[in-house]
């Protein structure tokens, strides 16, 4: 029977080894951070990141926080200006996530950023920091709970959430902070609070000399809806079984019952119909088709259920967004 496996921090060396081993194999691992437990995967491996959404039953691909072991690693993945550097130096390791421009050549998978041009970076303390250091790459991790439920603050909470999954859980004891990190967006000369947490606006102002603005509710609740969110330039048509002449075709699965003859170019999300592979390929394939500048990107039906819901949600958003453009 599938069930979670808890490894404890008093055997730190073994726990770190086991976690790094699982992460290298492309698996998710539950990690203890000072805020809440995270459900982590290699941030550069799209299929591994897709497993996070699948495990959480998350209906949408909202961006994930990218956890780093130190400032050097942060600077490989994000572009930190003077203000974000001051924040990182003052509050890391710790419960602060800093949203900065993503380094476009960093290799972080675009499922992590949800196709945004920014990335949320955080350096957690303790055991998780050592795991990331050993792994040598950042970990994408949302809170380790099923979608719509509260975050887990102990290894046992995580095990209760994911009862029937083969999930490695690294037990670091109860989380010190217990609520999710403060999220601040650092722009050229502004700081915008996206989510309040234990590190306060006042503390950040003291560290940077910049007054912290509060984000509009839209920005907090729906980062996936922000203007900068990725949507193709081409018009999109969903649920297509007969590809219109000259369209770029975002295919799914085999060609049975479908007419692909009109396609100028076909990119298949997953030949075998694997939703995890499809999720990992989604942004990449959409971008590749869009770069050919077709009038239309036609999308074949993707089945609902599990990761299919998240993929369909994201496609619907992309189609709706460029309708409004
Ligand atoms: O304490 C925490 O932050 C925990 C631990 C595991 O690190 N993580 C956590 O992740 O709370 P999650 O996925 O439950 O919440 C992350 C929030 C989401 O609301 C997401 O939209 C936002 O961070 N976020 C991530 N990257 C962003 C970006 N580039 N721009 C705006 N919001 C971003
Ligand atoms: Mg959460």
């Amino acid at each position: 029977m599938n069930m979670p496996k808890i490894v404890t921090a008093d055997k730190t060396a073994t726990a770190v080894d086991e976690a790094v081993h699982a992460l290298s194999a492309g698996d998710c691992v539950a990690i203890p951070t000072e805020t809440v437990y995270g459900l982590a995967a290699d941030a550069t491996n799209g299929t591994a990141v897709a497993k996070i959404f699948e495990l959480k039953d998350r209906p949408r691909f909202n961006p994930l926080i990218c956890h780093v072991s130190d400032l050097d690693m942060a600077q490989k993945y994000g572009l930190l200006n003077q203000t974000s550097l001051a924040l990182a130096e003052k509050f890391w390791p710790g419960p602060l996530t800093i949203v900065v421009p993503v380094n476009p050549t960093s290799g972080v998978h675009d499922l992590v950023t949800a196709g945004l041009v920014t990335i949320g970076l955080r350096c957690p303390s303790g055991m998780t920091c050592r795991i990331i250091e050993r792994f040598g790459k950042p970990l994408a991790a949302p809170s380790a709970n099923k979608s719509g439920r509260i975050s887990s603050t102990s290894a046992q909470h995580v095990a209760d959430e994911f009862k029937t999954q083969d999930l490695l859980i690294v037990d670091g004891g109860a989380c010190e902070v217990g609520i999710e990190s403060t999220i601040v967006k650092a722009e050229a000369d502004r700081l915008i609070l996206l989510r309040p947490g234990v590190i306060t606006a006042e503390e950040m102002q003291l560290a940077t000399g910049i007054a912290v603005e509060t984000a509009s509710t839209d920005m907090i609740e729906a980062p996936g809806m922000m203007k900068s969110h990725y949507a193709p330039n081409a018009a999109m048509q969903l649920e297509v079984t007969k590809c219109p002449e000259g369209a770029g075709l975002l295919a799914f699965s085999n060609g049975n019952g479908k007419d692909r003859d009109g396609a100028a170019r076909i990119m298949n999300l997953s030949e075998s119909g694997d939703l995890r592979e499809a999720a990992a390929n989604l942004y990449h394939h959409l971008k590749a088709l869009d770069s050919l500048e077709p009038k239309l990107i036609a999308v074949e039906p993707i089945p609902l259920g599990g990761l299919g819901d998240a993929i369909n949600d994201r496609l619907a958003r992309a189609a709706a967004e460029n309708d409004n453009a």
Side-chain angles (χ1 to χ4, degrees), residues 232 235-242 244 249-250 282 286 296-302 311-320 322-323:
M236 284 177 67
Q237 191 180 333
L238 305 181
E239 308 283 340
V240 170
T241 49
K242 181 180 182 351
L249 180 64
L250 190 64
L282 182 62
L286 266 178
L296 181 73
I297 295 177
V299 185
E300 290 184 349
I302 317 283
I311 296 169
N312 279 296
D313 169 87
R314 190 60 202 89
L315 284 167
R317 272 164 208 275
N322 70 5
D323 275 348

Side-chain angles (χ1 to χ4, degrees), residues 189-210:
D189 47 9
R190 297 170 69 196
L191 285 177
I192 302 150
L193 185 67
L194 298 183
R195 180 172 73 184
V198 289
I199 291 174
T200 62
E202 290 72 29
E203 286 176 284
M204 291 191 280
Q205 179 167 354
L206 264 179
T208 60
I210 295 179

Side-chain angles (χ1 to χ4, degrees), residues 14-174:
T14 330
V16 171
D17 280 351
E18 279 198 52
V20 169
H21 185 264
L23 291 165
S24 306
D27 287 333
C28 294
V29 175
I31 50 167
T33 85
E34 67 275 72
T35 57
V36 296
Y37 275 73
L39 190 62
D42 178 350
T44 65
N45 177 343
T47 312
V49 175
K51 284 185 195 170
I52 296 176
F53 291 96
E54 192 180 28
L55 276 171
K56 280 183 70 92
D57 294 327
R58 221 184 221 191
R60 283 188 201 155
F61 293 131
N62 43 350
L64 302 177
I65 294 172
C66 196
H67 298 73
V68 296
S69 57
D70 53 34
L71 200 49
D72 274 356
M73 190 184 281
Q75 285 178 301
K76 273 190 210 149
Y77 292 86
L79 307 171
L80 283 77
N81 64 14
Q82 208 186 338
T83 311
S84 25
L85 272 176
L87 289 174
E89 273 162 7
K90 172 79 183 171
F91 298 108
W92 283 357
L96 178 68
T97 298
I98 311 171
V99 175
V100 300
V102 67
N103 175 357
T105 61
S106 68
V108 71
H109 197 273
D110 47 19
L111 259 188
V112 177
T113 54
L116 295 170
V117 295
T118 54
I119 186 168
L121 294 169
R122 176 161 108 78
C123 174
S125 63
M127 181 107 164
T128 289
C129 198
R130 288 200 292 282
I131 293 172
I132 302 168
E133 202 169 49
R134 272 278 310 280
F135 188 53
K137 285 185 278 186
L139 297 181
S143 49
N145 50 273
K146 294 276 185 185
S147 184
R149 293 166 55 92
I150 55 167
S151 302
S152 304
T153 53
S154 75
Q156 191 55 49
H157 281 169
V158 181
D160 292 344
E161 282 290 296
F162 301 99
K163 278 194 187 80
T164 59
Q165 310 289 338
D166 271 327
L167 174 69
L168 182 71
I169 301 169
V170 178
D171 187 350

